[in-house]
Amino acid sequence: MATREELIEKTRGWFTGRLPEDLFDGAPEVTVDREEITVIGRIPEPAYAEGASEAEKAATIEGRIKEFRERTRDARMAVARDAEHKFGRKVSWGVRCGDQGRLFTHLSVPVMTRLKQPERALLDTLVDGGVARSRSEALAWCVRLVEKHAGDWVGDLRDAMRKVEEVREAGPDRESGDADADADAGA
């Protein structure tokens, strides 16, 4: 069985090889989870009028992103169909242009959780305060806040999880094959 890192590398390699060569500047960023593959590529920054303001530059980039999305839709959909068949996950797309990034599509997947009353009260406070429209949206807001403020810690945790996966894959059961299972079964 492939490790999570091997799955990500295989998926990234497949997309890098399968995408039309001129679609993005360089290899895309590919993120994989249980339900979705997100592909984000860099596109060339447009030329600006001399002396363009920051607002004009932002509008120019926004226009370039919209043009790219419309022009490449058929090609991206063809790749997505192939990938969804191959990997069994939905494909979402996005781009980076200049200092802006935009996701075109992405899944919103329900996640069940059990919360005690003080935790539910916190979510209700966010809803009552107008920060979120529902408990679900408030919980998503909390997750984004943790992601923003605990980035290094979360990165360290993911690195540690990769190391645990490597150790698990190199465990004694992997090298001996199924010899012990065959012996137990009387083979």
Side-chain angles (χ1 to χ4, degrees), residues 32-61:
V32 181
D33 71 8
R34 294 177 185 141
E35 296 86 15
E36 180 177 26
I37 299 169
T38 303
V39 180
I40 300 175
R42 181 157 288 285
I43 60 174
E45 194 168 348
Y48 305 107
E50 191 171 322
S53 68
E54 289 303 311
E56 185 176 343
K57 289 178 180 179
T60 303
I61 288 175

Side-chain angles (χ1 to χ4, degrees), residues 66-93:
K66 182 172 176 52
E67 182 277 332
F68 173 86
R69 183 179 187 186
E70 297 302 321
R71 177 175 44 85
T72 63
R73 178 174 276 123
D74 290 341
R76 289 183 295 106
M77 287 175 63
V79 172
R81 277 191 298 275
D82 289 351
E84 289 171 6
H85 178 73
K86 180 172 183 62
F87 297 107
R89 292 170 171 83
K90 291 292 184 187
V91 176
S92 299
W93 297 93

